[in-house]
Amino acid sequence: MEWDLPQLRALVTTVDEGTLEAAARTLHITPSAVSQRLKALERTVGAVLLSRSRPVRVTEAGKPVLQLARQLGELTSRTERALGASGGTLLRLAVNADSLSAWVLEALTPLAATTPIEFVRADQDDTAELLRDGSVMGAITSQARPVQGCRSTRLGTQRYHAVAQADFVARHFTDGVDRASLSAAPVVVFDEHDHLQDTFLRRHRIDPATPPHHVVPATAEFGEAVQLGYGWGMLMSSQFGTGERRVRAISGEPPERAPHVDVTLYWQQWELRTPDLDEAARLIRRAATDALEGAQPS
């Protein structure tokens, strides 16, 4: 099968920009030209690659072609840099919000000095799908099994503690942590993809839809909402707060002794070796040794 680089570039740009019109502006061609390139690519493959919705969506047949297109784009950019051309390929990485905020952003600072990076935020249970459909080159994920065409490395375990503001604990868990108190006490969740609190509630045989919910979809503000007494939530130790803001275990003990949920994280990346992607992997593995439980020294 003969691959045409402009056609593959049109596919990647259309997916990234969301519409043919936006892709045309980025590629400095007309929307008609973008459409023609996509149709020609689909004829080559013999399948529809994109659903022409707004934004466009990659079909199952389009996912491996999109991954190939991104890999060829990275190889092309790598060769151009070796020959002295300026610029670099955008490094797209899928990272869960907690890891991004707590340690990944700082870890990749040295790489950001030379390589443009786009972080795609998604729950750790969902980031592997972004690798699978070719949207990203690397991902921090809870999935151990390598996505096809990728390799997987265990990073370590992120521990989340069931905690709340001291007054909230005294008000809602006076008689201890049991089905009755957990069913009635308000809970803070990150978004509809946040299953940490659900996991804890199910351990106590409680339907997660039972207690009242507050939704706070930002890492810093999520921790602050728990510290302020909106409800109880699963926090990392870095979110416990200090002084009057320091939270307590919902059982009333110090937060470090709170009931917890552990999430094991893995780094997955393309099998295709590129210097930027390998450097991202090295920096992430090194940072994980300090940030996560049970991480192996890099």
Side-chain angles (χ1 to χ4, degrees):
M1 191 175 291
E2 296 287 337
W3 298 105
D4 182 275
L5 288 179
Q7 293 172 7
L8 293 171
R9 192 172 296 116
L11 176 67
V12 170
T13 307
T14 302
V15 171
D16 289 349
E17 298 296 335
T19 67
L20 271 66
E21 293 77 12
R25 289 192 294 270
T26 299
L27 294 171
H28 305 292
I29 58 178
T30 66
S32 176
V34 174
S35 180
Q36 290 173 14
R37 291 181 185 182
L38 292 174
K39 288 178 180 177
L41 182 58
E42 288 176 333
R43 284 195 298 270
T44 298
V45 175
V48 175
L49 304 180
L50 293 179
S51 172
R52 273 31 173 211
S53 54
R54 297 182 73 88
V56 298
R57 288 183 292 107
V58 184
T59 66
E60 285 301 313
K63 290 178 180 180
V65 181
L66 179 61
Q67 186 178 71
L68 170 68
R70 291 197 189 280
Q71 291 176 345
L72 287 176
E74 171 62 23
L75 286 173
T76 300
S77 177
R78 178 181 173 185
T79 302
E80 289 173 350
R81 291 199 301 273
L83 294 173
S86 60
T89 299
L90 181 67
L91 189 64
R92 302 184 86 241
L93 307 175
V95 184
N96 60 306
D98 288 342
S99 296
L100 181 62
S101 172
W103 57 278
V104 171
L105 200 62
E106 182 177 357
L108 294 184
T109 300
L111 184 59
T114 58
T115 302
I117 303 173
E118 179 180 349
F119 293 105
V120 181
R121 193 186 74 184
D123 187 84
Q124 61 269 5
D125 294 337
D126 302 323
T127 49
E129 182 58 34
L130 296 173
L131 267 176
R132 188 172 290 107
D133 69 18
S135 297
V136 298
M137 307 170 187
I140 292 177
T141 174
S142 58
Q143 180 174 315
R145 184 176 180 179
V147 171
Q148 185 176 5
C150 299
R151 50 197 172 97
S152 178
T153 303
R154 185 183 184 280
L155 294 176
T157 299
Q158 179 65 67
R159 176 161 291 181
Y160 293 87
H161 305 258
V163 296
Q165 180 201 51
D167 290 344
F168 183 94
V169 173
R171 188 163 62 254
H172 290 278
F173 296 105
T174 304
D175 297 325
V177 180
D178 53 25
R179 291 188 67 188
S181 58
L182 284 171
S183 295
V187 58
V188 183
V189 299
F190 189 87
D191 59 20
E192 68 273 17
H193 302 292
D194 177 11
H195 305 301
L196 289 169
Q197 288 74 212
D198 294 356
T199 298
F200 187 80
L201 288 168
R202 288 192 178 100
R203 285 182 181 175
H204 291 79
R205 302 188 304 282
I206 298 170
D207 182 341
T210 301
H213 285 67
H214 299 291
V215 180
V216 185
T219 299
E221 288 77 7
F222 177 89
E224 186 176 10
V226 175
Q227 293 170 17
L228 290 171
Y230 274 62
W232 68 271
M234 307 300 298
L235 297 189
M236 303 178 291
S237 58
S238 60
Q239 298 173 298
F240 287 167
T242 58
E244 294 182 357
R245 284 282 190 91
R246 187 166 175 81
V247 296
R248 301 286 293 178
I250 59 174
S251 56
E253 298 174 293
E256 295 84 358
R257 299 178 62 184
H260 59 267
V261 171
D262 287 341
V263 178
T264 302
L265 297 176
Y266 300 84
W267 167 253
Q268 292 205 32
Q269 69 176 76
W270 289 350
E271 286 282 5
L272 175 70
R273 303 294 295 272
T274 70
D276 289 343
L277 191 54
D278 283 350
E279 178 63 5
R282 186 187 71 82
L283 293 171
I284 284 173
R285 289 196 302 269
R286 185 175 70 179
T289 61
D290 294 324
L292 302 177
E293 305 270 347
Q296 297 297 318
S298 59

